[in-house]
Structures are given as structure tokens and as C-alpha cells.
Amino acid sequence: MTYKDVGGADEAIGELREIIQFLKEPEQFERLGGRIPKGVLLVGPPGTGKTLLAKATAGEAGVSFFETSGSEFVEMFVGVGAARVRDLFEQARKAAPAVIFIDEIDAIGQSRGGVIRMGGNDEREQTLNQLLSEIDGFTTNATNPVIIMAATNRPEVLDPALLRAGRFDRQVIVGNPDLIGRQQILRIHSKNVTLAPDFDIERAARMTPGFSGADLANIMNESALLAARRNAEHVTILDFEEAIERIIAGLEQRTRVMNDDVKRTVAYHESGHALIAALVPNADPVSKISIVPRSRGALGYTLQMPEEDRYLIRKEELLDRIAVMMGGRAAETIIYEQISTGASDDIQRATELARRMVTEWGMSEKLGWVRYAGQQMQYLGGAVEDNSALSPETRDVIDAEIKRIVTEQAERAQGLLSQHRKALDMLTDDLLRCESVDGSAVAAALAGEERVCEK
Ligand code: ADP
Ligand code: MG
Ligand code: ZN
């Protein structure tokens, strides 16, 4: 396996190249002063090629590959899981240079604190502790490099201890592929399939938005079976179409495959975020906008890339950030004159930021330079704020100030988007056509330039 076998994951591969360089030429890497990585966590929905990427990383570097899955440990007797972890690391160390891959690490690595115990967790805890001590116990050095890779689609449930520096402190996001990515994946999986001369891969990719790499591999395989069943000489786009229907039926109505209306709404929403980020003076530039669902719950996303590390953030910048968060819903109201549930995460983040502005950072004139945020308390593993020292009147003012800040920025976002309505339409069309675009698309839309999907 090499990276040639992985399609549509250029960003993830870019981030993994350093690992290869280290595995291949550890002395060289060390001599140049590179900090040797230890653990890499691959994060993404099922079937997007995390296992494949881990294997291909070992393959590219030409080192041994050791694989296990967290779910295998769950049913074991106490002590067995921990022993297995020890064995695995010992084998890998002997075979070094090597890559250890732990799939579904959330099965053993769930947060230990807090939640009420129902028993049966001892094994997991022992296994996790063994894993942590194995990771800490060896120093990756140039003579026998071992890299630990792990995969999960639920990073939020992982025990924070796993993510600490020197453990899985690198995270690589692996998402569902966009249009170009799906073309690459379909090409990879049609290598041994006889496609009809007029089989249009791009058209096939357009028919499969929201599908993972594994889904696409399945569909291609199913198409070949269908073509064989009707004794055809080659696979046509009609076979492919039929295969999609079968796979979709097998997947049961999955929300990952969006209908056109939903797609358009999501495209407007994300374009709204991106345009506001470009229009306000203090926002980080947009690096990527996508309407390919990245995780359960999220329908699209807009990535902003900070230009520098920030230590102090001015009030104006915070307000601009809130305006950007409100940009999604603002676009929806302008276009549809109605609103959807697609903004709940934006609203939560904006509210949280506004709350901190008034209760922690003294940024409301009404409330002054006073701290109102309560003491953080640990309660059942989560952080809870103790606000019992605040008078009801003060709480009312805090709530009113939060509402004012968020509402002002939402109105500001709406105003800006109304002024740039044409750019909003153009960027949305661009997104609907290409599914994911980089920051230059925002500038092009604002300049009124038509674009084609980039290869
Ligand atoms: P994950 O580990 O993320 O659940 P896998 O790596 O197990 O996904 O993917 C299962 C199979 O689906 C792979 O063996 C491969 O055939 C196919 N596949 C998934 N993602 C890709 C991709 N990005 N490029 C090519 N094939 C892929
Ligand atoms: Mg896998
Ligand atoms: Zn949003």
C-alpha cells in the first residue's frame, strides 16, 4: 500500500509526509533538529480511509505495520487487554522501524473521569493505562523509530490523557471526499474493472456526493458484478447508477446524502460565513469552504486559517468573530426569508463568546470591568459554573448584554450580505458546482469573476 492507493486525501497526506520522512531517514530528521513525533490520531467518519492511510504510511516508508483494534479489547477478561498491548509494543519495538496502528481507539480510550460507573470498565481502564504507559515508556529515537497511529470518529469522547503532549498530540482530519477526491478514488478502484469507453468518471463522481471512499469502492465493485451478471463486456454508467441505488438501499436512508434543496441551503450558509470573514476587518482569512459533510451532524464547514498565533485579542476582533459565526444564518434569512436548524453550533459558539466578553473580559460598559463568571466546578466529570453569588438583577443584565452583542453582530452580518448579494449567489453557485473551494473563490466572488472547478 502506498499513497497512490488513497484518493481525495491530499491534505491528510500532506500532514503525514513528515512522519514518513522520519521513518525513512530518522538520523537525517534528527540531525536537522526535527521534533520526533510519537503519536498521530486520524480523525474522521467511517470508511474515509483512515486504516488505508496508516497502512500506506508504513508502505511509503517501507517499514513494518502492526495493527489492532480497540473493539477487540472490550470483551476481554481483566488483564488480558493490558497484556495484549504490552505484546504489541514489544513486537513493534523488535521490528523497528515500525508503525503501530490502533483502530477505533475510542473503544479503550474513553474518558475515565466523571461518568457514573456501571462496572465492567475495569478492563478498559487497565488497557488504557497500559497503553499510556507504553506510549510514555519508549522514546522515539533515530535508531529504532516506532510511530503510533490511531483512528477514531469520536475524538470528543477520548480521555484527555491520550491527547497530551508526547502522546497523540498530532491530529489529522480525514473527511469524506469532494468531487475531485471522488474521481481519484473511483479511478483507483476501477483499475481492475473494465469500464465502457464512454464511462465518464466525473459524471459518476457527481452522482455520489457525501459518499465515503469505502462506499465508492463498494459501488464500483457492485457495478462490476452487475455488468458480469448481464454478461456485458464492460461496465457502463447505468450499472454504476444501479449499484448506487443498491448501496443506498443497503445503507438505509442516510442523512449523509443530501438532497438538492438541503445542499443549496448549506451552500448559502457556508458562503455567508466565508463572505463575512472576508468583509469584516479583523477576521482570519478563509482557507477552505466545503459542503461535503465532515462528521455526523455537520452539513458543511468553513475553515479559517489564523495568520499568526494570538495571545491578546481585541474587542473589535471578537465582535468580528461573532459576525462571522452569524454569517451562516444571516445568509439563510436573506435568501429564504426563513431559518433552519443548521446554525445551532454557530449560535452556541457566538453566545459563549459573548458571555465571556461580558463576564470575564469586562467588555460591556453596563457591567464594567468586573468578573461575573462563577468558579468552575467539577461535577460528574464535566465543568459546571457556580453562579450562586450573582444577584438575579445582575444575571438579567448579563443575559441582556449577551443578547445585545449577538443580535448586533447578526444584523451587521445581514447588512453586509445584503450589500454583497451578488457575491453571495456567485460563491454559492461555485460551491454547488465544486463542493469544496479554497479562499481564492471568496475573493473571486467579491470581484464578480466566474470560476471553474480547479483540478
Ligand atoms: P476507515 O478506516 O476510515 O473506516 P478504511 O481505510 O477501512 O476506512 O476504508 C475501507 C476501504 O474503503 C479501503 O480498504 C479502501 O478500499 C476504501 N477506501 C476508503 N477510503 C479511501 C480513499 N480515500 N481512497 C481509496 N480507497 C478508499
Ligand atoms: Mg478502518
Ligand atoms: Zn454555520
Side-chain angles (χ1 to χ4, degrees):
M1 288 278 170
T2 68
Y3 287 155
K4 285 207 191 72
D5 301 302
V6 191
D10 295 349
E11 282 167 48
I13 288 175
E15 291 181 55
L16 290 171
R17 291 229 176 259
E18 187 195 28
I19 306 288
I20 298 185
Q21 196 203 343
F22 167 64
L23 284 168
K24 258 187 170 161
E25 301 178 304
E27 302 88 3
Q28 184 76 346
F29 191 93
E30 211 170 40
R31 193 175 62 78
L32 296 173
R35 189 178 76 84
I36 298 173
K38 210 176 204 181
V40 181
L41 186 64
L42 301 169
V43 178
T48 46
K50 298 183 292 299
T51 308
L52 193 62
L53 273 168
K55 271 190 197 144
T57 303
E60 289 273 337
V63 304
S64 332
F65 183 73
F66 294 86
E67 182 180 8
T68 187
S69 171
S71 56
E72 286 172 26
F73 291 105
V74 181
E75 304 274 286
M76 288 181 181
F77 296 113
V78 174
V80 178
R84 283 274 299 272
V85 171
R86 215 176 307 126
D87 284 352
L88 180 70
F89 275 76
E90 199 173 306
Q91 280 180 38
R93 260 188 300 250
K94 276 189 202 140
V99 169
I100 298 178
F101 177 64
I102 307 170
D103 207 353
E104 298 176 74
I105 194 169
D106 42 276
I108 35 175
Q110 279 191 24
S111 185
R112 288 169 295 184
V115 203
I116 299 161
R117 286 291 160 67
M118 299 298 292
N121 272 349
D122 276 4
E123 175 49 24
R124 173 153 70 209
E125 195 154 311
Q126 282 196 20
T127 308
L128 175 58
N129 286 336
Q130 186 65 39
L131 178 62
L132 292 174
S133 82
E134 290 292 343
I135 296 174
D136 293 343
F138 79 91
T139 38
T140 23
N141 55 40
T143 35
N144 53 357
V146 175
I147 294 285
I148 313 159
M149 298 179 82
T152 182
N153 57 349
R154 300 193 302 162
E156 69 285 350
V157 305
L158 289 184
D159 197 299
L162 273 171
L163 306 176
R164 224 165 269 156
R167 292 174 180 165
F168 291 101
D169 51 358
R170 306 231 176 155
Q171 300 196 12
V172 174
I173 308 275
V174 190
N176 279 327
D178 64 7
L179 182 65
I180 303 287
R182 293 199 301 277
Q183 292 183 45
Q184 292 169 357
I185 294 171
L186 287 172
R187 272 196 200 100
I188 291 170
H189 287 283
S190 60
K191 252 183 218 137
N192 299 319
V193 173
T194 317
L195 295 180
D198 64 348
F199 190 102
D200 183 350
I201 294 251
E202 185 185 335
R203 188 166 152 220
R206 278 192 192 283
M207 285 155 52
T208 46
F211 284 73
S212 69
D215 296 338
L216 294 172
N218 260 341
I219 294 173
M220 203 32 111
N221 186 50
E222 185 74 29
S223 314
L225 293 179
L226 286 169
R229 211 165 297 156
R230 58 178 182 87
N231 289 322
E233 261 171 52
H234 36 230
V235 176
T236 68
I237 200 84
L238 293 175
D239 296 316
F240 189 81
E241 228 167 307
E242 194 180 336
I244 293 179
E245 278 159 28
R246 293 190 171 212
I247 299 278
I248 290 184
L251 295 170
E252 299 164 335
Q253 36 153 295
R254 208 176 29 167
T255 45
R256 277 202 276 157
V257 183
M258 295 190 273
N259 70 29
D260 286 352
D261 278 353
V262 176
K263 248 172 123 175
R264 182 163 288 276
T265 309
V266 173
Y268 269 114
H269 180 104
E270 298 306 330
S271 298
H273 285 307
L275 281 173
I276 298 297
L279 290 167
V280 297
N282 302 302
D284 293 322
V286 170
S287 57
K288 186 174 176 189
I289 324 169
S290 170
I291 55 169
V292 182
R294 181 145 87 171
S295 61
R296 205 148 28 127
L299 296 175
Y301 57 95
T302 299
L303 282 183
Q304 286 171 273
M305 204 49 84
E307 279 181 322
E308 52 191 313
D309 280 347
R310 307 308 305 275
Y311 299 103
L312 282 177
I313 309 175
R314 287 174 296 117
K315 183 180 170 185
E316 287 71 30
E317 296 172 55
L318 293 170
L319 292 175
D320 284 357
R321 277 189 198 180
I322 296 178
V324 173
M325 291 169 192
M326 292 290 107
R329 153 94 34 121
E332 289 183 49
T333 39
I334 290 174
I335 305 299
Y336 298 106
E337 290 170 4
Q338 54 187 355
I339 51 185
S340 74
T341 54
S344 72
D345 187 51
D346 300 330
I347 291 177
Q348 191 200 333
R349 282 164 56 227
T351 310
E352 185 54 30
L353 197 51
R355 174 179 302 281
R356 298 190 70 186
M357 287 174 73
V358 301
T359 63
E360 288 180 38
W361 302 322
M363 289 176 174
S364 148
E365 275 173 31
K366 280 219 176 96
L367 289 157
W369 301 355
V370 174
R371 180 181 168 99
Y372 297 96
Q375 212 68 12
Q376 293 268 335
M377 299 196 312
Q378 289 296 322
Y379 182 70
L380 287 181
V384 168
E385 212 147 84
D386 170 24
N387 286 324
S388 53
L390 296 179
S391 73
E393 293 77 21
T394 305
R395 286 186 210 196
D396 286 348
V397 181
I398 292 173
D399 290 341
E401 281 294 90
I402 293 171
K403 181 173 176 197
R404 179 185 60 80
I405 291 175
V406 175
T407 310
E408 277 176 10
Q409 293 312 315
E411 284 166 1
R412 180 174 169 223
Q414 276 189 339
L416 284 168
L417 291 177
S418 305
Q419 278 171 38
H420 294 88
R421 171 65 201 257
K422 186 154 169 269
L424 182 58
D425 290 332
M426 280 187 79
L427 188 55
T428 301
D429 286 343
D430 206 6
L431 255 183
L432 284 170
R433 238 176 331 160
C434 311
E435 295 182 9
S436 74
V437 297
D438 65 17
S440 65
V442 183
L446 283 167
E449 286 162 13
E450 294 278 351
R451 281 163 40 101
V452 290
C453 301
E454 57 193 59
K455 186 85 194 162

mmCIF file of all heavy atoms in Angstrom, residues 47 50-52 101 103 151, ligand 2:
data_model
loop_
_atom_site.group_PDB
_atom_site.id
_atom_site.type_symbol
_atom_site.label_atom_id
_atom_site.label_comp_id
_atom_site.label_asym_id
_atom_site.label_seq_id
_atom_site.Cartn_x
_atom_site.Cartn_y
_atom_site.Cartn_z
ATOM 1 N N GLY A 47 -15.003 4.676 6.987
ATOM 2 C CA GLY A 47 -14.877 4.419 5.556
ATOM 3 C C GLY A 47 -14.180 5.500 4.762
ATOM 4 O O GLY A 47 -14.184 5.499 3.545
ATOM 5 N N LYS A 50 -8.996 5.850 6.865
ATOM 6 C CA LYS A 50 -8.031 6.042 7.948
ATOM 7 C C LYS A 50 -7.081 4.848 8.049
ATOM 8 O O LYS A 50 -5.868 5.023 8.113
ATOM 9 C CB LYS A 50 -8.776 6.276 9.275
ATOM 10 C CG LYS A 50 -9.646 7.530 9.249
ATOM 11 C CD LYS A 50 -10.327 7.795 10.572
ATOM 12 C CE LYS A 50 -11.372 6.771 10.922
ATOM 13 N NZ LYS A 50 -12.482 6.684 9.940
ATOM 14 N N THR A 51 -7.668 3.649 8.053
ATOM 15 C CA THR A 51 -6.840 2.447 8.092
ATOM 16 C C THR A 51 -5.912 2.410 6.878
ATOM 17 O O THR A 51 -4.716 2.136 6.990
ATOM 18 C CB THR A 51 -7.729 1.185 8.102
ATOM 19 O OG1 THR A 51 -8.677 1.320 9.158
ATOM 20 C CG2 THR A 51 -6.911 -0.065 8.294
ATOM 21 N N LEU A 52 -6.504 2.725 5.745
ATOM 22 C CA LEU A 52 -5.743 2.743 4.497
ATOM 23 C C LEU A 52 -4.557 3.714 4.580
ATOM 24 O O LEU A 52 -3.434 3.388 4.179
ATOM 25 C CB LEU A 52 -6.707 3.180 3.395
ATOM 26 C CG LEU A 52 -6.303 3.026 1.951
ATOM 27 C CD1 LEU A 52 -6.088 1.563 1.637
ATOM 28 C CD2 LEU A 52 -7.387 3.590 1.041
ATOM 29 N N PHE A 101 -0.692 0.569 14.539
ATOM 30 C CA PHE A 101 -1.975 1.227 14.256
ATOM 31 C C PHE A 101 -3.058 0.677 15.178
ATOM 32 O O PHE A 101 -3.274 -0.527 15.243
ATOM 33 C CB PHE A 101 -2.360 1.015 12.793
ATOM 34 C CG PHE A 101 -3.695 1.602 12.436
ATOM 35 C CD1 PHE A 101 -3.902 2.973 12.502
ATOM 36 C CD2 PHE A 101 -4.757 0.788 12.045
ATOM 37 C CE1 PHE A 101 -5.139 3.526 12.174
ATOM 38 C CE2 PHE A 101 -5.995 1.333 11.718
ATOM 39 C CZ PHE A 101 -6.179 2.698 11.783
ATOM 40 N N ASP A 103 -6.904 0.899 15.651
ATOM 41 C CA ASP A 103 -8.178 1.346 15.093
ATOM 42 C C ASP A 103 -9.194 1.497 16.227
ATOM 43 O O ASP A 103 -9.045 0.867 17.272
ATOM 44 C CB ASP A 103 -8.663 0.293 14.080
ATOM 45 C CG ASP A 103 -9.543 0.916 13.014
ATOM 46 O OD1 ASP A 103 -9.871 2.107 13.136
ATOM 47 O OD2 ASP A 103 -9.901 0.197 12.065
ATOM 48 N N ALA A 151 -6.971 5.608 15.123
ATOM 49 C CA ALA A 151 -8.087 6.190 14.389
ATOM 50 C C ALA A 151 -9.329 6.247 15.255
ATOM 51 O O ALA A 151 -9.548 5.380 16.109
ATOM 52 C CB ALA A 151 -8.381 5.359 13.139
HETATM 53 MG MG MG B 2 -10.769 1.372 9.463
#
